[in-house]
């Protein structure tokens, strides 16, 4: 077996048509230590769109982006109990236990949670004529419990759910998805590593997402997002978020932003925090800092340019904000990336010279 490709298998695009039910793959004990990646195209009576799945030992990542044609629920067959990290980015996803008309969990846009799915068939339903975007990261019970202290309250709580065949949740109410979570999710989806590096990267990002979920739940209690906001108010908050995300270089006042989305300052402040878990400007600050980190990793970008693109007129003010947020100066990040590139090149050169030396030794006369 060669090193190239031994740890990663990329399947061709699979057309999923006339899907009567969904069955989770056996990701708790896959064959071999490899990552299987498959692109999906859905086109049946329920949905039309695309998806992607990544399967490795202990972890199954599923991503879907599709349009819903029918309100018919999708039956799901469970091979065993596992833990799911659900991140609903767009639209509403509802879970039902088998033969039950009452949902046990419903995710609205920009909500997440971590919960136990027991070994019991269920149904998933989406709203007809809506566009859906969702990540479901599924963990084997071994993977989850190996990364959770036995003294943690969720350890016993989820073990009890497995024994009683009942769902168990980290939080009794769903929490708001953060921009940092979204960044990690799409890093998994667009991972360019191969071989064993891909598996290491995905596992590291999954554990990072677990840490972010636990941090939000334990240290930064979620606001009461179960308050029954009108759908029109929720849509306005998502519009406000989109405006901020697409215009990081602009300065905003609450009055201006409220005017853009058709509401008042009081409602904007109150409803935005209920939907996204943070005040408007705190959320905007996170977006700017994460964007600046990504820009710093692009060769050729200057600090002054990054400062301008992320809404800071003065590079000094940007540097101070970055240092406070990340506890490191931006030029240190740039220097670290440059040193890393040189180090990788140096290691690659050593490996090539080592391989060449072995080749020469093999043909050299005794």
């Amino acid at each position: 077996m060669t090193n190239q490709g031994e740890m990663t298998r990329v399947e061709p695009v699979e057309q999923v048509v006339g899907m009567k039910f969904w069955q989770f793959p056996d990701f708790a004990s896959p064959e071999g230590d490899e990552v299987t990646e498959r692109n999906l195209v859905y086109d049946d009576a329920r949905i039309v769109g695309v998806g992607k799945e990544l399967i490795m030992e202990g972890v199954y990542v599923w991503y879907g982006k599709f349009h819903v044609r029918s309100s018919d629920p999708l039956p799901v067959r469970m091979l065993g109990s596992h833990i799911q990290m659900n991140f609903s980015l767009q639209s509403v996803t509802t879970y039902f236990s088998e033969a039950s008309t009452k949902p046990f969990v419903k995710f609205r846009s920009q909500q997440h949670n971590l919960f136990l799915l027991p070994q019991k068939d269920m149904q998933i339903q989406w709203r007809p004529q809506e566009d859906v975007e969702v990540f479901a990261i599924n963990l084997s019970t071994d993977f989850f419990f190996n990364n959770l202290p036995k003294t943690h309250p969720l350890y016993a709580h989820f073990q009890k759910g497995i024994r009683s065949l009942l769902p168990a949740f980290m939080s009794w109410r769903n929490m708001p998805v953060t921009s940092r979570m979204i960044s990690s999710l799409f890093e998994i989806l667009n991972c360019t590593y191969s071989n064993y590096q891909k598996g290491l990267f995905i596992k590291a990002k999954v554990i990072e997402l677990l840490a972010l979920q636990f941090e939000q739940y334990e240290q930064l209690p979620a606001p009461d997002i179960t308050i029954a906001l009108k759908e029109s108010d929720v849509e306005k908050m998502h519009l406000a978020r989109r405006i901020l995300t697409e215009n990081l270089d602009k300065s905003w006042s609450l009055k201006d932003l409220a005017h853009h989305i058709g509401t008042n300052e009081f409602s904007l402040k109150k409803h935005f925090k209920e939907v996204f878990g943070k005040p408007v400007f705190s959320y905007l600050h996170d977006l700017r800092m994460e964007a600046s980190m990504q820009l710093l990793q692009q060769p050729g970008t200057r600090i002054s340019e990054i400062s301008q693109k992320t809404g800071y007129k003065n590079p000094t003010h940007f540097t101070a904000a970055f240092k406070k947020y990340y506890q490191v100066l931006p030029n240190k990040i740039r220097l670290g990336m440059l040193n890393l590139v040189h180090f990788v090149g140096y290691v690659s050169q050593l490996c090539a010279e080592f391989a060449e030396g072995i080749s020469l030794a093999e043909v050299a006369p005794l």
Side-chain angles (χ1 to χ4, degrees):
M1 182 179 291
T2 63
N3 288 330
Q4 184 63 34
E6 75 178 70
M7 297 294 288
T8 302
R9 183 173 67 229
V10 179
E11 302 285 355
V13 174
E14 177 169 317
Q15 186 83 9
V16 183
V17 181
M19 183 168 52
K20 294 181 180 179
F21 63 87
W22 173 267
Q23 181 170 302
F24 281 95
D26 184 13
F27 59 93
S29 55
E31 296 182 4
D33 297 326
E34 55 185 20
V35 178
T36 299
E37 179 178 347
R38 185 166 54 176
N39 295 313
L40 305 171
V41 176
Y42 298 105
D43 189 2
D44 61 19
R46 291 188 185 89
I47 62 174
V48 55
V50 296
K52 188 171 186 175
E53 61 181 10
L54 298 162
I55 307 171
M56 58 188 299
E57 184 181 6
V59 178
Y60 169 53
V61 179
W62 178 82
Y63 168 77
K65 187 173 184 179
F66 48 85
H67 179 76
V68 183
R69 290 170 165 168
S70 168
S71 60
D72 293 341
L74 175 66
V76 178
R77 292 182 178 174
M78 301 286 292
L79 296 177
S81 298
H82 69 262
I83 314 300
Q84 183 172 109
M85 308 160 68
N86 190 290
F87 300 87
S88 177
L89 304 187
Q90 186 175 357
S91 194
V92 176
T93 303
T94 307
Y95 286 67
F96 298 86
S97 296
E98 58 180 344
S100 174
T101 58
K102 185 177 180 180
F104 64 85
V105 66
K106 176 184 287 187
F107 291 94
R108 299 183 183 275
S109 293
Q110 297 295 314
Q111 290 186 350
H112 75 93
N113 209 335
L114 181 145
F115 56 103
L116 166 74
L117 286 174
Q119 189 175 359
K120 184 182 294 185
D121 290 349
M122 62 180 185
Q123 295 184 334
I124 300 177
Q125 186 178 46
W126 297 284
R127 290 180 175 177
Q129 307 309 316
E130 287 194 359
D131 294 323
V132 174
E133 187 171 18
V134 62
F135 281 88
I137 300 179
N138 303 276
L139 311 176
S140 69
T141 51
D142 285 345
F143 183 96
F144 178 74
F145 290 121
N146 286 340
N147 287 284
L148 186 70
K150 291 184 178 180
T151 55
H152 196 283
L154 280 186
Y155 197 100
H157 180 51
F158 278 24
Q159 290 281 8
K160 182 179 178 180
I162 293 173
R163 293 192 299 270
S164 59
L165 293 179
L166 291 173
F169 295 85
M170 176 177 70
S171 174
W172 64 271
R173 58 189 180 188
N174 296 329
M175 296 173 290
V177 176
T178 66
S179 54
R180 190 172 174 186
M181 290 175 183
I182 293 175
S183 177
S184 296
L185 288 167
F186 280 98
E187 285 180 30
I188 292 174
L189 192 67
N190 299 309
C191 175
T192 57
Y193 289 108
S194 58
N195 306 324
Y196 70 93
Q197 299 165 358
K198 192 179 190 76
L200 287 174
F201 181 84
I202 292 172
K203 284 185 178 180
K205 284 295 172 182
V206 168
I207 292 173
E208 179 184 45
L209 284 164
L210 276 172
L212 291 173
Q213 286 190 308
F214 277 105
E215 178 188 40
Q216 189 183 53
Y217 173 60
E218 296 172 356
Q219 300 179 13
L220 301 172
D224 190 0
I225 59 175
T226 58
I227 295 175
L229 289 179
K230 295 179 181 178
E231 287 295 328
S232 58
D233 291 331
V234 175
E235 291 174 1
K236 288 177 181 177
M237 297 308 106
H238 283 283
L239 176 58
R241 176 185 176 277
R242 186 162 65 249
I243 290 173
L244 294 174
T245 303
E246 295 173 356
N247 299 276
L248 294 179
D249 59 329
K250 294 184 179 179
S251 297
W252 293 96
S253 68
L254 286 174
K255 183 178 180 180
D256 289 339
L257 186 58
H259 176 74
H260 268 76
I261 65 173
T263 188
N264 56 61
E265 293 180 54
F266 176 80
S267 296
L268 173 61
K269 291 169 63 177
K270 183 174 184 293
H271 295 163
F272 192 94
K273 189 172 182 180
E274 288 171 3
V275 173
F276 297 111
K278 286 190 174 184
V280 175
F281 292 120
S282 178
Y283 194 93
L284 176 59
H285 182 62
D286 288 349
L287 290 174
R288 284 173 167 165
M289 289 296 99
E290 289 166 15
S292 65
M293 178 63 82
Q294 293 176 5
L295 289 169
L296 278 169
Q297 298 174 34
Q298 297 177 9
T301 52
R302 298 190 301 267
I303 298 295
S304 58
E305 181 184 355
I306 296 172
S307 170
Q308 191 173 36
K309 285 184 176 181
T310 54
Y312 292 88
K313 295 180 180 179
N314 189 322
T316 303
H317 294 165
F318 163 73
T319 298
F322 189 95
K323 173 65 166 59
K324 184 176 181 180
Y325 192 86
Y326 287 111
Q327 301 300 308
V328 65
L329 291 169
N331 61 348
K332 296 292 185 182
I333 297 292
R334 173 64 51 76
L335 182 61
M337 292 298 297
L338 183 61
N339 289 338
L340 180 61
V341 170
H342 289 163
F343 176 74
V344 171
Y346 173 69
V347 170
S348 299
Q349 183 180 354
L350 283 179
C351 290
E353 291 174 355
F354 180 72
E356 183 179 355
I358 291 176
S359 178
L360 290 174
E362 288 176 346
V363 299
L366 295 175

